Amino acid sequence: MQYFIKRVTSAVVAGAVVLGSIALYPDAKKNVVNAAETKYDSASLVNYEIILGRATDYGIVSKSFTQNSHMETTLATSSFSRTASCSDSIDVDLTSSPTAQFVIGGVTPADGYIAFGPVKHSDQSIDVKNVNVVFPDSPDFNVTNNVQLRMNVADQTTFNYSYLSKEKIDNNINSVIGHGKDEADKISTKTGNPDYVLDVTEPGILDVNKNSNLTTIDLSNPVYKNRVVYINISPVKPEPGQPPKDDPFRNLREIFKSDPGGKHLIVKKNSSTVVVFTNDEPGPVGLGKVQVQVVDSDYVDTPPLNAPNDAYCSSTDHSGYMSQHNSFVDREIAQKFIWNIPNSKEVTLTGSAGTFLLNGDDVKVKLKDNPSAGWIVANGNVENGCEFHYIYGGASTEISTEGNGQMHFALHKNFASAYKTKAELENGSSFVDTSIDIEKDQYSFVLQEYTDETFATTYGPAIPRSVGTDSILEFPTISFTADDSGTEHYAVKKDSSGASYKDFFFRVKENPNSVYSIANNAGRIDIRLRVTSNDAGTISFAVQSKTYIGDSEDSLILYAENGTFGSKDKWVDMVGPRFDLGAFYNKVLVPGYMTLSKTISDNVSEEDLKDI
């Protein structure tokens, strides 16, 4: 689609008349919002997938996890334990994906255990075929002693496990937590900036009823479609020597701590709007139920079980299948709400949903009373006194892995006014343009395999894929085997020592596009994938990649690198099926102008011109 902004000026010159001047320039920033002078980022550039990166497969990522009751989520943690009174299992009933992924860096105490329970198969879209778990390759861990399988024959589910060193598991989990912290820092910068944060004093935006303890935020105006709305619910700090300022969210914060199970927050919004809350208080923080009224949702909601008055509420069902309500919570709340809690060391979640970035040092996170859902990235310990539900149904069936030996690459589209290194473009750089909406299939890439690291000879056909409206692109699953059961080219067989590896080479390039005022990136992403099989036939992956960006082949710069390409020992070890290659930038061009003039050479009066 083409978008133009027209600017018209006029002048009358004595004797000769220059009648009008039209300046035209193409504008890629479709529907850019500047209501009340506030800047709003595009929802395609700030969303759960970009913030989570490689963590989308795990409902909870934490340094440690303590199980206190039944669970229905996937999990990645460096240390797993359970309270003395708990003997419950972790089920994956609500994982609407063929494979449920786990990373367990160790079980404490040494005689402790983790139990994987039944997977419900029904006609309600639950079809978990595999449970994949990465365990530590350590003498302190023993599958026979530390793992219980309580799955029954009717589950028809395969339990696969593989091993990585404790160091590699910890590095991966710390990397995911660190990525979440980086994203949270960017959010905190925006929510602390009056140019970006929502002005709740504007009429009709915020209503606080202290009698009913109900806070209502109305974002249903179409001006917020496809936009990110940053809302600062932090305590208002008075200026030195000045009287206390009005604190519009004081009531909400306090009621979330004392009575989080009630209906205390209503958000009215468009489906495409991403809502980001920041609460920077260092003391205890509670997050409770949110009722979300979506004015243009494609997803039908039914009240959760045993809670007939909770339609459109963030608390999920215990139902064991993906109900209409759970699908609504996934698509309209968990994927659209981001909760940024950077400083608190004690956070309690009760029936909430979204992406929770909990970055206080050694934070203690408690789940209580009503099931929460979505994703937690916690820089500390998570303990469940209630279920947490991993209900993500957004992954394409084309890239949902089916078992051992499968993985896929992902990237996301970004925009900038200049090609710079990752360090120069991160952390709120003025070069980054986050205002551009992406049309579905507007940008596309190809993944081409090559025979070696020279990238001179191709292997197989190029695989094209398009970017979605959320700016994410995921290439199809690639399958590898440790025997003769698959394609010979992708077979990585054990050698006489009981281990084997094979390197594969891929290059990602963007298809040329003709989007107005956006320059195509001439760069590429070079990938070296090392596939290793062990004596048990388990496949593991490690990646090295380099991303180049620039105007032409002759002016490319190295934007970012994973590992060190071509080195023997500097790799990024994968612990899940998805490898996030990060951002690929295109350049937003400075507008060009075209001026059209018409000159009347005769001596023309103002009276003659008044109707022209």
Side-chain angles (χ1 to χ4, degrees):
M1 300 182 70
Q2 302 177 17
Y3 302 92
F4 294 93
I5 293 177
K6 299 181 180 180
R7 182 176 300 147
V8 180
T9 62
S10 62
V12 177
V13 181
V17 178
V18 178
L19 186 65
S21 169
I22 304 175
L24 302 174
Y25 60 92
D27 184 17
K29 301 177 183 181
K30 181 172 77 75
N31 297 331
V32 174
V33 181
N34 282 300
E37 303 304 318
T38 300
K39 299 177 182 178
Y40 292 97
D41 290 340
S42 167
S44 65
L45 271 299
V46 181
N47 57 58
Y48 76 101
E49 282 227 61
I50 290 174
I51 285 173
L52 290 165
R54 288 186 287 156
T56 52
D57 288 310
Y58 310 101
I60 298 174
V61 180
S62 63
K63 289 189 173 180
S64 61
F65 181 84
T66 304
Q67 186 175 3
N68 198 29
S69 65
H70 179 71
M71 290 288 285
E72 290 183 352
T73 186
T74 54
L75 177 68
T77 187
S78 287
S79 177
F80 177 90
S81 64
R82 62 173 64 244
T83 57
S85 60
C86 177
S87 60
D88 292 316
S89 62
I90 294 181
D91 302 348
V92 287
D93 286 349
L94 297 180
T95 305
S96 54
S97 171
T99 302
Q101 306 286 346
F102 290 83
V103 180
I104 308 296
V107 175
T108 57
D111 59 351
Y113 67 94
I114 179 171
F116 294 92
V119 177
K120 179 172 180 174
H121 287 265
S122 70
D123 58 357
Q124 300 291 337
S125 78
I126 297 301
D127 194 18
V128 178
K129 298 178 181 177
N130 304 276
V131 176
N132 284 353
V133 191
V134 178
F135 289 127
D137 184 8
S138 165
D140 296 329
F141 181 86
N142 184 293
V143 169
T144 302
N145 298 334
N146 296 133
V147 178
Q148 290 186 10
L149 296 183
R150 301 177 185 174
M151 300 173 174
N152 52 49
V153 176
D155 289 335
Q156 302 173 340
T157 302
T158 301
F159 187 84
N160 305 300
Y161 57 87
S162 58
Y163 296 101
L164 272 180
S165 70
K166 183 69 164 63
E167 179 184 17
K168 289 181 178 179
I169 289 176
D170 290 346
N171 287 343
N172 270 275
I173 289 173
N174 290 336
S175 175
V176 171
I177 293 173
H179 175 76
K181 188 176 186 306
D182 290 341
E183 294 297 322
D185 288 345
K186 296 175 189 176
I187 289 170
S188 293
T189 298
K190 292 290 179 71
T191 48
N193 186 339
D195 290 341
Y196 284 90
V197 73
L198 179 70
D199 182 1
V200 296
T201 65
E202 286 190 26
I205 296 291
L206 179 67
D207 179 71
V208 179
N209 188 325
K210 294 183 179 179
N211 292 326
S212 62
N213 288 320
L214 178 62
T215 296
T216 302
I217 303 172
D218 191 344
L219 305 175
S220 59
N221 190 314
V223 78
Y224 301 114
K225 283 188 174 182
N226 301 315
R227 299 290 116 190
V228 180
V229 179
Y230 298 97
I231 303 176
N232 194 347
I233 61 173
S234 306
V236 176
K237 302 174 180 64
E239 299 293 336
Q242 299 296 318
K245 293 183 179 180
D246 181 44
D247 190 338
F249 292 105
R250 180 193 300 275
N251 201 58
L252 178 65
R253 293 194 310 272
E254 295 304 318
I255 203 69
F256 264 173
K257 294 176 190 176
S258 62
D259 182 28
K263 186 176 74 173
H264 303 301
L265 175 61
I266 294 178
V267 178
K268 302 175 182 178
K269 63 185 288 291
N270 298 283
S271 179
S272 61
T273 303
V274 173
V275 185
V276 180
F277 291 98
T278 291
N279 182 353
D280 65 8
E281 62 182 312
V285 168
L287 295 176
K289 291 182 180 179
V290 181
Q291 188 179 78
V292 181
Q293 300 175 5
V294 185
V295 297
D296 57 351
S297 176
D298 292 330
Y299 296 90
V300 179
D301 183 34
T302 57
L305 292 184
N306 305 317
N309 297 320
D310 271 351
Y312 312 110
C313 176
S314 55
S315 183
T316 40
D317 287 344
H318 291 266
S319 51
Y321 64 90
M322 278 296 283
S323 64
Q324 290 180 340
H325 174 74
N326 285 347
S327 296
F328 176 87
V329 173
D330 171 36
R331 298 289 183 157
E332 302 294 6
I333 306 179
Q335 294 186 30
K336 304 294 174 61
F337 280 67
I338 298 166
W339 302 89
N340 174 37
I341 315 294
N343 299 321
S344 176
K345 295 186 177 183
E346 185 179 336
V347 180
T348 302
L349 305 184
T350 302
S352 200
T355 300
F356 301 92
L357 301 176
L358 312 177
N359 289 307
D361 291 336
D362 297 319
V363 62
K364 291 180 172 53
V365 183
K366 293 187 177 180
L367 311 173
K368 60 177 290 187
D369 295 345
N370 297 111
S372 295
W375 298 269
I376 296 173
V377 180
N379 186 31
N381 182 72
V382 177
E383 178 176 349
N384 77 307
C386 184
E387 294 183 20
F388 187 86
H389 288 162
Y390 181 75
I391 56 174
Y392 179 47
S396 166
T397 56
E398 192 173 36
I399 56 88
S400 295
T401 56
E402 296 295 331
N404 176 45
Q406 298 189 327
M407 58 84 63
H408 66 274
F409 295 109
L411 58 81
H412 60 269
K413 166 64 69 181
N414 278 18
F415 300 90
S417 59
Y419 291 126
K420 301 286 184 179
T421 66
K422 184 178 180 180
E424 292 172 298
L425 287 175
E426 282 188 339
N427 300 322
S429 167
S430 60
F431 294 111
V432 176
D433 191 324
T434 62
S435 65
I436 298 175
D437 287 344
I438 294 179
E439 303 282 351
K440 190 177 188 308
D441 301 330
Q442 190 175 40
Y443 297 93
S444 64
F445 290 77
V446 292
L447 176 72
Q448 175 66 63
E449 185 175 349
Y450 289 80
T451 57
D452 57 43
E453 62 187 357
T454 66
F455 297 96
T457 305
T458 62
Y459 176 85
I463 302 172
R465 280 298 175 270
S466 296
V467 178
T469 57
D470 58 0
S471 85
I472 302 297
L473 179 146
E474 299 195 70
F475 288 105
T477 292
I478 307 171
S479 298
F480 300 87
T481 61
D483 51 32
D484 296 322
S485 61
T487 305
E488 181 180 358
H489 175 74
Y490 295 116
V492 183
K493 301 176 184 178
K494 296 169 290 185
D495 59 21
S496 57
S497 67
S500 180
Y501 75 84
K502 188 174 179 181
D503 287 351
F504 298 85
F505 301 90
F506 302 88
R507 175 169 285 175
V508 174
K509 293 202 72 172
E510 186 175 24
N511 282 323
N513 62 75
S514 57
V515 179
Y516 279 90
S517 79
I518 299 292
N520 193 62
N521 188 339
R524 65 181 187 270
I525 305 175
D526 291 341
I527 303 166
R528 185 187 201 122
L529 174 68
R530 176 157 292 181
V531 184
T532 303
S533 64
N534 63 13
D535 53 6
T538 299
I539 299 290
S540 61
F541 302 102
V543 178
Q544 297 172 343
S545 73
K546 300 175 79 169
T547 300
Y548 297 92
I549 58 178
D551 293 306
S552 68
E553 290 280 353
D554 299 326
S555 62
L556 298 181
I557 65 171
L558 178 61
Y559 162 72
E561 187 172 20
N562 289 300
T564 300
F565 203 91
S567 70
K568 293 182 179 179
D569 56 353
K570 294 183 180 179
W571 297 81
V572 177
D573 294 286
M574 294 182 63
V575 293
R578 181 183 195 265
F579 191 85
D580 190 346
L581 294 164
F584 194 85
Y585 281 88
N586 279 27
K587 186 190 286 187
V588 180
L589 300 177
V590 175
Y593 291 83
M594 177 176 65
T595 300
L596 305 178
S597 300
K598 182 176 182 180
T599 303
I600 302 175
S601 59
D602 286 340
N603 202 5
V604 181
S605 69
E606 293 279 359
E607 183 68 20
D608 294 328
L609 294 173
K610 68 180 182 180
D611 293 326
I612 296 179

